[in-house]
Amino acid sequence: LGLLDANFSLLMMTLLHTVLALVLSWTGLSSVLYIFSTGLFTVVALWTARLLLRHAWYTHKLSCFSKPQTRSWLLGHLGKMQSTEEGLQRVDDLVQTYKHSCCWFLGPFYHLVRLFHPDYVKPLLMAPVLIEHRKYRKELFLQTLFFLSGNSVLISNGEVWSRKRRLLTPAFHFDILKSYIAVFNSSAKTMHDKWCRLVAEGKTNLEMFDHVTLMTLDSLLKCAFSYDSNCQQSSSEYVSAIVELSDLIIERREKNILHHWDWIYWKTRQGERFKQALNTVHRFTRDVVEKRRTLLNQQRETEAQSEIAPTAQKRKDFVDILLLTKDEDGQGLTDEEMQAEANTFMFAGHDTTASAICWTLYNLARHEHYQEKCRQEVMDLIEGRDGQEIQWEDLSNLPFTTMCIKESLRLHSPVQAVTRSYTQDMVLPGNRTVPAGTICLVSIYGTHHNPTVWTNPHEYDPQRFDPSNKKSQTSHAFIPFSSGPRNCIGQKFAMVELRVVVALTLLRFRLTPGVNPELGSSRVRRLPQLVLRAEGGLWLQLEPLNTPT
């Protein structure tokens, strides 16, 4: 079939070439155009032949993996991956049918192996970063993020990645996270006060993502830049640009396939809006980094010239830590590198954490007995205190709330999949081999909903994460933050914010499922985009509780 398709393409090229030659001869155009057209068609024919031969090679090499039914040998599974509720149900069907993995072809262009079992996921996620393929990360799923964040730790590979990862690690140390607790308490209180005002006005049915996303954005701006944006009350140019970029990324990926080519996209109206918003974000980050570096240099000069001991410093934010950190050679990050990492922290952090908080509140709203048990746990913890604030020491004393959060991360993971590609063949169980250069789509959703791994995987059951059950849990069965050397560097930050916000929300409100105005019911249809959202929003009914503030 591969040879037939290749020969057919070459035949078509030859026919087109002949027709063009006749047209040129009839119109009397110069032989230069004829020569040019001959060369052009030759190049196109060779490129087509190479593409089809490459497709045939991958089809043969991946024959050790089961292959779901395709549209045709050439088109493969093109168009069968959908970012909808039905698309997630299709993943459930794949997992139910193929148990651990299958191959997947997006036309003759991309050749994937989809994996959704811990035994198959683990060897890939635990592989050394040095054998990861460098080029594809900027060409496929992370292409747009490259423009947003530059060559950050999210995109880079090899030694560049290793150096950046080492330099960034201190920014997520427990001692640094402790100082962020006050920020999380403050941002959550601002959101809850706004909810109380809305409920007093009779608006008890609220869409969670709108409010929680602004709250996590508020927290991140304070933690990253010490910038009080007041974005939960009123917008700003920077915050508006962040929100617009998030929307445009979804539009670009899903609405028009031609927009995947940069030279086309930048000429569209959406591309112009993307550039303008991107310039706003980059300008803000650049100004913060430059001003903070200047201030740091001035402080060092003052301390060097003065015999007086340095005064107590303010809480260090993300940019401060990046400015102070050095590698083994005494070299720090350049301004450009710091801007890339700060932008990544903002983009990768606010949406994912917001999604995790929203789905946790949704799951607790649907299971009143678990909600009440969490609420009682928090009330017992703060009993006798003057105010309602979660302290660092409290986090380890919220075992059941943490179990509920983890089960929500399993059932509704913010990120549905991660991709990997390697410069060498990767051996998997069952004598299966992933050829070098193949894209490995590690399905977090599929692994978390695999019935051979989890009993009743579509049910919400926090007892799965009872510490007494941990020994029976398969390694890499639970990977909401990925795993291995490229796991999410901000996962501890996210878990701290999750526990603080969920605990404080349950103290002030009783939650029940709301009504989605678009659907006219409380039914929820999942919407996997950059993070897992819900069609028409995620709506909950809020009932304020008579607890002291």
Side-chain angles (χ1 to χ4, degrees):
L1 285 174
L3 289 174
L4 285 173
D5 276 358
N7 288 332
F8 177 76
S9 297
L10 290 172
L11 176 61
M12 291 302 296
M13 289 298 175
T14 303
L15 290 173
L16 286 171
H17 166 260
T18 304
V19 171
L20 182 58
L22 291 171
V23 171
L24 289 172
S25 64
W26 288 338
T27 56
L29 294 178
S30 67
S31 59
V32 174
L33 284 178
Y34 176 75
I35 294 172
F36 173 77
S37 67
T38 301
L40 177 63
F41 277 107
T42 301
V43 169
V44 171
L46 289 174
W47 178 84
T48 303
R50 179 182 178 276
L51 181 69
L52 293 173
L53 286 173
R54 178 176 174 273
H55 182 46
W57 185 85
Y58 271 111
T59 301
H60 171 69
K61 282 290 186 179
L62 294 176
S63 59
C64 56
F65 293 93
S66 300
K67 183 172 71 172
Q69 185 176 1
T70 60
R71 294 180 180 278
S72 68
W73 178 86
L74 187 62
L75 295 177
H77 305 93
L78 201 61
K80 289 194 172 186
M81 294 176 74
Q82 297 174 313
S83 296
T84 60
E85 172 69 32
E86 288 73 24
L88 291 177
Q89 292 173 5
R90 187 182 292 273
V91 176
D92 291 332
D93 293 339
L94 288 177
V95 174
Q96 185 74 36
T97 303
Y98 301 107
K99 312 301 181 189
H100 49 72
S101 61
C102 64
C103 59
W104 197 264
F105 302 141
L106 301 180
F109 307 104
Y110 294 114
H111 306 85
L112 293 78
V113 173
R114 303 179 68 164
L115 307 112
F116 29 81
H117 190 283
D119 294 344
Y120 287 72
V121 164
K122 183 177 180 178
L124 299 173
L125 295 183
M126 298 302 291
V129 175
L130 291 177
I131 66 170
E132 272 200 56
H133 203 281
R134 298 168 184 261
K135 191 177 179 183
Y136 93 100
R137 296 188 69 81
K138 294 178 187 176
E139 287 188 344
L140 190 58
F141 302 105
L142 297 177
Q143 179 188 37
T144 306
L145 292 181
F146 177 71
F147 292 106
L148 289 176
S149 60
N151 194 29
S152 68
V153 70
L154 184 67
I155 307 291
S156 56
N157 290 82
E159 290 296 338
V160 174
W161 173 88
S162 297
R163 175 178 177 270
K164 289 183 177 181
R165 181 82 179 203
R166 290 194 301 272
L167 289 172
L168 287 175
T169 298
F172 297 96
H173 191 274
F174 281 119
D175 290 337
I176 302 299
L177 296 179
K178 284 181 185 179
S179 66
Y180 294 155
I181 286 282
V183 172
F184 299 149
N185 276 280
S186 173
S187 295
K189 185 178 186 305
T190 300
M191 180 178 70
H192 294 154
D193 289 345
K194 182 169 62 172
W195 287 358
C196 285
R197 290 194 298 271
L198 291 170
V199 171
E201 296 170 3
K203 300 173 183 176
T204 59
N205 189 49
L206 298 182
E207 200 288 304
M208 289 292 103
F209 273 96
D210 286 344
H211 295 275
V212 176
T213 299
L214 285 177
M215 187 273 298
T216 56
L217 191 55
D218 186 22
S219 295
L220 274 174
L221 284 168
K222 293 172 182 174
C223 295
F225 305 121
S226 297
Y227 176 59
D228 190 355
S229 66
N230 197 33
C231 65
Q232 296 194 68
Q233 304 296 341
S234 59
S235 190
S236 69
E237 185 184 25
Y238 176 79
V239 171
S240 297
I242 290 278
V243 173
E244 183 168 31
L245 284 171
S246 298
D247 293 339
L248 288 172
I249 290 172
I250 302 303
E251 286 184 21
R252 179 178 185 179
R253 191 179 78 165
E254 296 184 352
K255 299 296 177 63
N256 194 328
I257 192 171
L258 295 178
H259 288 178
H260 285 255
W261 283 276
D262 294 333
W263 61 276
I264 293 177
Y265 182 67
W266 297 132
K267 291 179 174 60
T268 65
R269 185 176 62 180
Q270 292 93 330
E272 289 295 327
R273 286 169 52 203
F274 191 97
K275 280 185 179 179
Q276 290 175 5
L278 191 62
N279 288 337
T280 299
V281 170
H282 285 179
R283 183 172 61 250
F284 173 86
T285 312
R286 183 173 61 252
D287 290 346
V288 169
V289 170
E290 289 176 353
K291 289 176 181 178
R292 202 67 61 79
R293 188 184 287 281
T294 300
L295 180 61
L296 182 64
N297 290 336
Q298 290 174 349
Q299 290 176 343
R300 285 173 175 169
E301 290 176 5
T302 302
E303 292 171 4
Q305 295 171 3
S306 174
E307 296 180 0
I308 303 175
T311 56
Q313 294 183 340
K314 69 174 182 67
R315 172 184 59 82
K316 287 186 175 67
D317 59 27
F318 188 71
V319 172
D320 289 328
I321 297 165
L322 295 189
L323 283 165
L324 293 169
T325 189
K326 306 289 181 184
D327 61 18
E328 298 84 350
D329 300 322
Q331 299 296 314
L333 294 169
T334 65
D335 283 1
E336 184 179 8
E337 288 174 326
M338 278 190 291
Q339 292 165 31
E341 301 307 334
N343 286 331
T344 299
F345 185 47
M346 290 301 304
F347 283 107
H350 85 277
D351 250 2
T352 50
T353 309
S355 176
I357 292 171
C358 289
W359 287 107
T360 300
L361 297 180
Y362 165 77
N363 284 311
L364 291 174
R366 290 180 61 245
H367 298 86
E368 186 178 353
H369 54 299
Y370 293 142
Q371 181 183 159
E372 287 300 328
K373 188 172 181 178
C374 288
R375 182 178 292 111
Q376 190 60 51
E377 182 177 66
V378 180
M379 292 177 68
D380 292 344
L381 187 64
I382 68 167
E383 186 177 6
R385 293 185 188 173
D386 293 335
Q388 277 190 346
E389 284 201 354
I390 302 298
Q391 301 169 2
W392 176 261
E393 293 75 18
D394 295 334
L395 299 180
S396 58
N397 295 316
L398 294 168
F400 189 73
T401 303
T402 302
M403 288 162 53
C404 289
I405 290 171
K406 287 184 176 180
E407 173 65 351
S408 188
L409 288 172
R410 182 199 68 81
L411 191 62
H412 295 101
S413 298
V415 178
Q416 302 300 293
V418 294
T419 57
R420 297 288 187 269
S421 183
Y422 300 94
T423 57
Q424 64 185 49
D425 292 353
M426 300 296 292
V427 179
L428 299 180
N431 292 321
R432 294 176 175 85
T433 300
V434 179
T438 304
I439 297 167
C440 302
L441 187 69
V442 177
S443 177
I444 296 174
Y445 174 88
T447 304
H448 286 179
H449 293 76
N450 194 326
T452 65
V453 179
W454 301 94
T455 304
N456 300 321
H458 297 283
E459 293 184 8
Y460 183 77
D461 180 10
Q463 295 299 330
R464 302 180 202 271
F465 292 94
D466 189 298
S468 61
N469 296 330
K470 191 171 183 180
K471 290 183 180 179
S472 61
Q473 190 179 105
T474 307
S475 172
H476 286 71
F478 180 62
I479 48 172
F481 300 103
S482 187
S483 181
R486 286 201 88 113
N487 68 346
C488 174
I489 194 172
Q491 60 181 292
K492 293 176 183 175
F493 179 98
M495 284 300 296
V496 171
E497 186 170 14
L498 266 162
R499 280 177 284 186
V500 170
V501 175
V502 170
L504 291 177
T505 301
L506 296 180
L507 272 178
R508 296 194 66 177
F509 299 92
R510 179 172 287 107
L511 310 172
T512 53
V515 176
N516 186 330
E518 287 189 12
L519 301 177
S521 70
S522 59
R523 186 166 62 97
V524 171
R525 285 174 53 84
R526 297 166 295 177
L527 184 65
Q529 296 181 326
L530 284 180
V531 297
L532 184 65
R533 302 177 73 91
E535 285 185 27
L538 197 59
W539 295 79
L540 297 182
Q541 284 280 345
L542 304 182
E543 177 190 345
L545 299 173
N546 295 321
T547 54
T549 59

